[in-house]
Every structure is written in C-alpha cells, then in structure tokens.
Amino acid sequence: MKRKFDPKVFQLGYVALETADIERTKDHYLENIGMTQTAKGDDGAVFLSIGYNHHDIVLRPAKQKALLHIGLHLKPGIVVSDLAHQAREFGLAAMIKTDSQPGITELVEVEGPGGNVFQFYGAIEASAPGFKKTSVAPLRLGHVAVISSEGEKLVKFYEDFLGFWYTDDIQGIATFLTCNRDHHVINVVNAPESRVHHLAFELRGTANHAMAADALRAAGVKQLWGPSRHTAGHNLAGYHHDPDKVMVELYTEMDTFIPELGIHEPRPWHEYFPMKPKTWQLSELNAWGAEFGFNLAAG
Ligand SMILES: [Fe+2]
C-alpha cells in the first residue's frame, strides 16, 4: 500500500466533553463505567482515568453538552513544535500550550475542519489510579465517532494531514480511519450536525458484554443496540446513552488492520477473504442480521 508518510499519531488519548449536569454525567463514568477521578481543573473540569493514564475522559461544566476536543498522542520523534508548524502550513490555527491542563505539560491545540479541536501531545502522566473491579471497568478508550457537517474535509484532515489509513465506510456516510492496528480509532459521520456520535471503550473479553449489560441495567441504563456483531470492524458492540444522551459503545473483538498488506487480519467470521477496506451498506450494520433500532446519523 503506497503512502506518502506514516501517521503522525499512534493512539487516541482522551475525549473532552462539555456537559450541562456535570455531577450526573460524572457519576455515570465513575459509578457505572468504573473510572477514577484524578484531578479537577480551575474551570470545574474533572479528569477521569480508566486505570493508567492521567485521563481518558474530561468533563467540563457548560450550558449545554458539546464535544470540546479530542486528544491524540504524537508518535515518538514528532515534537509539539513540529506539529504546530505543519498544522499552520496546512492552513490551520495552532497554539502551543504549557501547563494548560493537569497530566500534560505541553501540547498543541489545533482547530481542524468543522470546528473540531484537537490536542496533540507527546507525553501524558501515568497516574495509574488502578482499574476498578466493577462489571464494566473497560481496558481502554479505543475510538471516538464524530458527526460533522464538514465530514469530507475532516476525513481529508485525518488522511492527508495526520496520515490515517482508511479502513472501511458505510455508504460514504460513516468513514472509518486508523492510525494503528485497530480497525478504527476515528469514525467520521458526514451529516448536517456537529457533535460526538459515540465514544467507545474496549472491554476485557467477550463474556464481559453480558456482565456490563446486567450492571448497566441494574443502574437503570438500557441498551440501545446489541451487544451484537458489526460488519465494518466486526466488533461485538453494545451501545447505551450516558446521562447527556451521548452514546457509549462497549466492544470486543474489533478487526486488526495490517497496514503493510492493506487488509484486516483474517477472522473466521469474515464474509470476505482477504478482508480489504470496503463500502458497506446501511442495511448491513449487523453481521448477525439481528434487528435493533439504530440510526447511524442520528445516534
Ligand atoms: Fe464505534
């Protein structure tokens, strides 16, 4: 697979959300998901960790819910000032910030297409508050899906500026992109709205889907879709709403992309061999043919 350059980042670090009811939203991530608060900012923002990094989710109080920014971890060898310079050459505003948030000494904030704000950093403190023993207690934050009215420009930003690989799409509405071996780290939904579509946490194993769904039900949180197997990515996924009606996905068994071959590592449940990046239909979101209410664009 010919590429101009390798991705500038290697993983999703964190997602920062604004919320109108920070106590209620925070409680969901602490009590139901099983995260730990590691810090509180001067602006009332709370920093939540899954178990190792200083933060995986940031919640900031605001008048209404919104996606604040996405944190992406720079590949070793790319420093913040390089990224700032390259972003400006690409025509984007970039600002280097020092000690602007707990856990990260230096970062560069870039305003991407459609008002999507990114924070790029080379190091985040490993606070390691420990993994919780609740029923959900995910392993990590794996991906984020964003709805954007400038979806095409946003995809170009990921591909042409950051070097992400295209791994699949759903009728051109949702585009899956990766900067590592996960099927997707970012999913861009091209629709006339601008907000987060869902956040996705990886669970320890497939048996944990049932335990997670039972625990969420006990907390009064219903499943919106699944757990069931997707086609694009083939992840086993269950979705629920957080208190702000931001969708949260819990998943396992996501496809492994092999950039060197331009295919997804073969799996017995694949429909195609080799499983190359392709366009899937909206009518085939569910590999098992189960019918669940799931509006891709509306989320
Ligand atoms: Fe997802």
Side-chain angles (χ1 to χ4, degrees):
M1 198 183 234
K2 278 190 181 168
R3 288 197 53 81
K4 289 174 292 220
F5 58 94
D6 285 335
K8 291 173 181 166
V9 298
F10 69 96
Q11 67 178 359
L12 171 65
Y14 51 91
V15 174
L17 303 169
E18 287 188 322
T19 171
D21 190 340
I22 192 155
E23 288 306 319
R24 191 180 59 159
T25 307
K26 184 178 76 174
D27 274 357
H28 179 71
Y29 290 95
L30 292 179
E31 306 304 325
N32 299 339
I33 301 295
M35 301 182 79
T36 303
Q37 184 174 330
T38 52
K40 188 166 187 176
D42 298 337
D43 56 0
V46 292
F47 294 77
L48 310 178
S49 171
I50 289 170
Y52 181 72
N53 290 320
H54 181 274
H55 51 273
D56 303 281
I57 297 286
V58 182
L59 301 172
R60 191 171 84 174
K63 284 208 174 73
Q64 57 185 25
K65 68 169 176 175
L67 171 61
L68 190 57
H69 54 248
I70 291 172
L72 293 167
H73 204 149
L74 288 168
K75 193 166 274 187
I78 301 181
V79 296
V80 155
S81 55
D82 291 341
L83 200 283
H85 177 71
Q86 291 163 7
R88 288 179 193 128
E89 279 198 329
F90 198 76
L92 301 169
M95 193 194 298
I96 294 174
K97 294 184 169 183
T98 307
D99 294 324
S100 63
Q101 65 177 265
I104 298 181
T105 309
E106 189 188 35
L107 60 85
V108 55
E109 199 164 272
V110 172
E111 190 167 333
N116 279 268
V117 177
F118 298 89
Q119 292 187 341
F120 299 95
Y121 59 92
I124 182 167
E125 195 182 308
S127 312
F131 289 87
K132 287 280 178 66
K133 293 183 175 65
T134 62
S135 297
V136 178
L139 294 179
R140 65 190 185 109
L141 178 72
H143 64 270
V144 59
V146 171
I147 309 180
S148 175
S149 54
E150 296 190 39
E152 282 177 26
K153 278 189 198 164
L154 197 52
V155 168
K156 272 193 159 314
F157 166 78
Y158 280 113
E159 289 188 311
D160 299 346
F161 178 64
L162 291 177
F164 276 58
W165 289 287
Y166 158 88
T167 55
D168 268 323
D169 71 271
I170 298 173
Q171 275 185 232
I173 300 167
T175 304
F176 298 89
L177 300 153
T178 194
C179 60
N180 55 38
R181 292 193 169 232
D182 290 347
H183 175 273
H184 54 285
V185 173
I186 296 288
N187 177 359
V188 176
V189 180
N190 192 16
E193 273 189 273
S194 288
R195 61 183 175 85
V196 65
H197 185 276
H198 67 266
L199 324 163
F201 296 103
E202 185 175 8
L203 295 177
R204 298 170 188 218
T206 291
N208 293 79
H209 280 290
M211 290 186 264
D214 279 340
L216 288 169
R217 174 178 172 270
V221 181
K222 292 177 185 168
Q223 294 291 303
L224 298 166
W225 191 94
S228 197
R229 191 182 297 286
H230 275 301
T231 46
H234 294 89
N235 37 323
L236 281 168
Y239 295 79
H240 69 268
H241 271 149
D242 83 359
D244 280 327
K245 288 214 163 14
V246 168
M247 271 210 299
V248 177
E249 173 188 348
L250 304 176
Y251 74 92
T252 57
E253 297 186 13
M254 177 181 275
D255 278 349
T256 298
F257 184 57
I258 308 175
E260 293 82 357
L261 298 176
I263 67 167
H264 302 300
E265 198 168 75
R267 290 286 180 269
W269 46 80
H270 282 170
E271 304 88 334
Y272 304 93
F273 297 94
M275 184 64 251
K276 292 180 181 171
K278 71 181 285 286
T279 298
W280 301 85
Q281 298 305 303
L282 263 178
S283 56
E284 52 179 4
L285 280 176
N286 193 307
W288 295 343
E291 291 288 340
F292 295 109
F294 192 79
N295 184 330
L296 184 74

